Amino acid sequence: MAEETFEKEGLGHLARIEEELEEIKDRTANPKRSFINGMWQGAGAIVGSIAAIILLGWGLSVLGLVPGVGDIANSLHRMVDTVRSR
């Protein structure tokens, strides 16, 4: 009789574990979607970093804290203008 209750408790415990595993499986995204989300996050991090560096450089050049940045910006503008005129 003790063995029967032990088996019933064990089976009940296994059933609860199975239900929890099904819930975890339902909440977990598929690998393709996870890959795509990771790619978007990586691209966003790169674009955000570039934008932050550009804004920081521009802000420092406006304040005059970094000498020579204005000269570099002017030469880049001239290069862009010559490419556009061709």
Side-chain angles (χ1 to χ4, degrees), residues 7-72:
E7 286 181 18
K8 287 181 182 179
E9 288 176 5
L11 290 175
H13 186 66
L14 287 175
R16 286 191 303 274
I17 291 173
E18 186 177 347
E19 289 174 8
E20 289 178 11
L21 287 175
E22 285 296 322
E23 289 177 10
I24 290 171
K25 183 180 175 184
D26 291 340
R27 292 180 187 174
T28 305
N30 62 1
K32 291 179 185 177
R33 188 71 184 155
S34 296
F35 176 75
I36 292 170
N37 287 341
M39 293 298 288
W40 280 114
Q41 287 179 352
I46 291 170
V47 170
S49 299
I50 292 171
I53 289 170
I54 290 171
L55 288 174
L56 182 66
W58 176 78
L60 290 174
S61 69
V62 167
L63 295 174
L65 297 175
V66 180
V69 174
D71 296 333
I72 294 170

